[in-house]
Every structure is written in structure tokens, then in C-alpha cells.
Amino acid sequence: MTKRVRPKKFLGQHFLKDLSVAQRIADSLSLDGYSRVLEVGPGMGVLTKYLLERPLDLTVIELDRESVPYLRNHFPQLEENIIEGDFLRFPVDQVFKEQFALIGNYPYNISSQILFKALEHRDLIVEIGGMFQREVAQRVASKPGSKVYGVISVLIQAYYDVEYLFTVDEGAFNPPPKVKSGVILLRRKENQNLGCDEKLFKRIVKMAFNQRRKTIRNSLKALTGKEFENEFLKQRPEQLSVDDFVKLTREIEKLQL
């Protein structure tokens, strides 16, 4: 029998030990219109166990070389579906040709990067579920006007509906992290067309929040290169909804023609 896996600080590992939390995360996936699921960083398979009880086609990707043989030993039914590697370098569209969901107890140190990578493959990833550092989960789910509303809030919510499901205390993990965790579920919106130049949209959002204490007019001066009037220019970025940023992008597109 393979020995237990040691949590590694350099990988940001905090193994979930509360089985009721694992069950709730596994049950959060809707499986609506898809059956394939990719779990990121399964570790010793606490979440994997409950995912395998659901009617889905599971693949797992794990970077930790100590975890891979443990998973092979304890979950022989996954033998052909265990990928040893880094999700951030994983060629998603070469392996997955159909719609799938992403799930995991994500390493805190790369969780935002995981979300941004998933966003790049939103044509394939219909749902994203799992556990993040609570601060990140709150940021992703926050609405305009919130102090934590920012770049990741706008860019994710442009393409996904976000639901904050529940908070998890430090004691649910081994070793316990220094912060609480939050479980969220992202469901891809049916309409993926923003109706504006999406590269410009992303650039505007990032520029605006890079100077979040300034008004939109001052943040975007370098981009527009000319004066123009718009209802949002006197506001700060955290006051603008996704739709507001889309409208602003359309106005700036006209200036650049």
C-alpha cells in the first residue's frame, strides 16, 4: 500500500480532510450538457472519491510526483485518466475536444492564474467549481461597488455567472492554512459575444483598475489620446458593471476608427 502523501509548502498544498466539504464540492457540478470533468491537483483524492460516485467521465491532473503513484494505487479505475503535469502548461484543447467542467481544491498561490487560463479555454469549459482562498473567491463573485471588485471580477463575470456557495474554516485542512477558504461555482453564459472588441475590453478593464483610485477619464487618458464625453468618465472603475465596461469599450472603439 502506498504511504500517505506529505503536503508540500512549495506546491501550496493543504489537503482537505473534511469529507462533508469534499462531498458538497463534488455535488456542486450541474453536469448539465456535459459529462467530462477535469480535477486539478487531486492530492490524495479526497474530492476525487466523491466525483467518482457521480455519473461523469473524470480525468485528474497532478503535478506532485508523490501523489501520482498514490492516486494510481488507490483509484485504479482512473489509471488511464491520470495526467502527471502542471495545469498551467497543460494543452487543454489538444486533450479535450468536447465541453467539460474544471474542479479542484486549488493551490492558493496559483488559483488566479488557473482561472485566467480557464478563461482562455471558455469555449470548452462550461463550468468551473471548487475551493479557493476566500479572498480570491469573494473577489471573483463580488459586484460593482465592493472594495474587492476588480479585474478578475469583471473578466470572469463577462463570460460566467458566479455563485459563492460556502466558506470553509482553516481546520478542514492538513496542514491548516492561515486563511479561510471559499467554494464557488462558475457557469458559462449562453451568450459569449460581448458585442465589442474583446482584446480592447480586457485592456480597458486592466488599465482602469491599475489606477483604481482615479476616475476612468484619468486612467484611460493614455489609451484614448483625445478628449471625449461619456457617462462613465467621472466614475471610478469599481462603480462600473460588466455591461458598463462593454459600453465604454464600444465608445473607445469608435474613437480609434
Side-chain angles (χ1 to χ4, degrees), residues 224 226-228 250-257:
T224 58
K226 59 180 83 171
E227 283 296 318
F228 73 105
R250 287 181 191 144
E251 286 298 310
I252 293 175
E253 273 186 83
K254 292 176 186 174
L255 292 177
Q256 296 182 341
L257 291 176

CSV table of all heavy atoms in Angstrom, one decimal, residues 224 226-228 250-257:
chain,number,residue,atom,x,y,z
A,224,THR,N,-6.9,56.7,-25.0
A,224,THR,CA,-7.8,57.4,-26.0
A,224,THR,C,-7.0,58.4,-26.9
A,224,THR,O,-7.3,58.5,-28.0
A,224,THR,CB,-8.9,58.1,-25.2
A,224,THR,OG1,-8.4,59.0,-24.3
A,224,THR,CG2,-9.8,57.1,-24.5
A,226,LYS,N,-7.4,61.3,-27.1
A,226,LYS,CA,-8.2,62.5,-27.4
A,226,LYS,C,-9.4,62.6,-26.4
A,226,LYS,O,-9.7,61.7,-25.7
A,226,LYS,CB,-8.8,62.4,-28.8
A,226,LYS,CG,-9.6,61.2,-29.1
A,226,LYS,CD,-10.1,61.2,-30.5
A,226,LYS,CE,-9.1,60.6,-31.5
A,226,LYS,NZ,-9.6,60.3,-32.8
A,227,GLU,N,-9.9,63.8,-26.3
A,227,GLU,CA,-11.0,64.1,-25.4
A,227,GLU,C,-12.3,63.5,-25.9
A,227,GLU,O,-12.6,63.6,-27.1
A,227,GLU,CB,-11.1,65.6,-25.1
A,227,GLU,CG,-10.1,66.1,-24.2
A,227,GLU,CD,-10.2,65.6,-22.8
A,227,GLU,OE1,-11.3,65.4,-22.3
A,227,GLU,OE2,-9.1,65.3,-22.2
A,228,PHE,N,-13.1,62.9,-25.1
A,228,PHE,CA,-14.4,62.5,-25.5
A,228,PHE,C,-15.3,62.5,-24.2
A,228,PHE,O,-14.8,62.4,-23.1
A,228,PHE,CB,-14.4,61.2,-26.2
A,228,PHE,CG,-14.2,60.0,-25.3
A,228,PHE,CD1,-15.2,59.1,-24.9
A,228,PHE,CD2,-12.9,59.7,-24.8
A,228,PHE,CE1,-15.0,58.0,-24.1
A,228,PHE,CE2,-12.7,58.6,-24.0
A,228,PHE,CZ,-13.8,57.8,-23.6
A,250,ARG,N,-17.1,50.1,-26.5
A,250,ARG,CA,-17.6,50.4,-27.8
A,250,ARG,C,-17.4,51.9,-28.1
A,250,ARG,O,-17.1,52.3,-29.3
A,250,ARG,CB,-19.2,50.2,-27.8
A,250,ARG,CG,-19.6,48.7,-27.8
A,250,ARG,CD,-21.1,48.6,-27.8
A,250,ARG,NE,-21.5,47.3,-27.6
A,250,ARG,CZ,-22.6,46.9,-26.9
A,250,ARG,NH1,-23.3,47.9,-26.3
A,250,ARG,NH2,-22.9,45.7,-26.7
A,251,GLU,N,-17.5,52.8,-27.1
A,251,GLU,CA,-17.2,54.2,-27.4
A,251,GLU,C,-15.8,54.4,-27.8
A,251,GLU,O,-15.5,55.2,-28.7
A,251,GLU,CB,-17.5,55.0,-26.1
A,251,GLU,CG,-19.0,55.1,-25.8
A,251,GLU,CD,-19.7,55.9,-26.9
A,251,GLU,OE1,-19.2,57.0,-27.3
A,251,GLU,OE2,-20.8,55.4,-27.4
A,252,ILE,N,-14.8,53.7,-27.1
A,252,ILE,CA,-13.4,53.9,-27.4
A,252,ILE,C,-13.1,53.3,-28.8
A,252,ILE,O,-12.2,53.8,-29.5
A,252,ILE,CB,-12.6,53.4,-26.2
A,252,ILE,CG1,-12.8,54.2,-25.0
A,252,ILE,CG2,-11.1,53.3,-26.6
A,252,ILE,CD1,-12.1,53.7,-23.8
A,253,GLU,N,-13.8,52.2,-29.1
A,253,GLU,CA,-13.6,51.7,-30.5
A,253,GLU,C,-13.9,52.7,-31.5
A,253,GLU,O,-13.2,52.8,-32.5
A,253,GLU,CB,-14.5,50.5,-30.6
A,253,GLU,CG,-14.0,49.1,-30.1
A,253,GLU,CD,-15.0,48.0,-30.5
A,253,GLU,OE1,-14.9,47.5,-31.6
A,253,GLU,OE2,-15.8,47.6,-29.7
A,254,LYS,N,-15.0,53.5,-31.4
A,254,LYS,CA,-15.3,54.5,-32.3
A,254,LYS,C,-14.3,55.5,-32.5
A,254,LYS,O,-14.0,56.0,-33.6
A,254,LYS,CB,-16.7,55.2,-31.9
A,254,LYS,CG,-17.9,54.3,-32.0
A,254,LYS,CD,-19.1,55.0,-31.4
A,254,LYS,CE,-20.3,54.1,-31.3
A,254,LYS,NZ,-21.4,54.8,-30.6
A,255,LEU,N,-13.6,55.9,-31.4
A,255,LEU,CA,-12.5,56.9,-31.4
A,255,LEU,C,-11.3,56.4,-32.2
A,255,LEU,O,-10.6,57.2,-32.7
A,255,LEU,CB,-12.1,57.3,-30.0
A,255,LEU,CG,-13.1,58.0,-29.1
A,255,LEU,CD1,-12.5,58.2,-27.7
A,255,LEU,CD2,-13.4,59.4,-29.7
A,256,GLN,N,-11.1,55.1,-32.2
A,256,GLN,CA,-9.9,54.5,-32.8
A,256,GLN,C,-10.1,54.2,-34.3
A,256,GLN,O,-9.2,53.8,-35.0
A,256,GLN,CB,-9.5,53.3,-32.1
A,256,GLN,CG,-9.1,53.6,-30.6
A,256,GLN,CD,-8.6,52.3,-29.9
A,256,GLN,OE1,-8.9,51.2,-30.3
A,256,GLN,NE2,-7.9,52.5,-28.8
A,257,LEU,N,-11.4,54.4,-34.8
A,257,LEU,CA,-11.6,54.1,-36.2
A,257,LEU,C,-11.0,55.2,-37.1
A,257,LEU,O,-10.9,56.3,-36.7
A,257,LEU,CB,-13.1,54.1,-36.4
A,257,LEU,CG,-13.9,52.9,-35.8
A,257,LEU,CD1,-15.3,53.0,-36.0
A,257,LEU,CD2,-13.3,51.6,-36.4
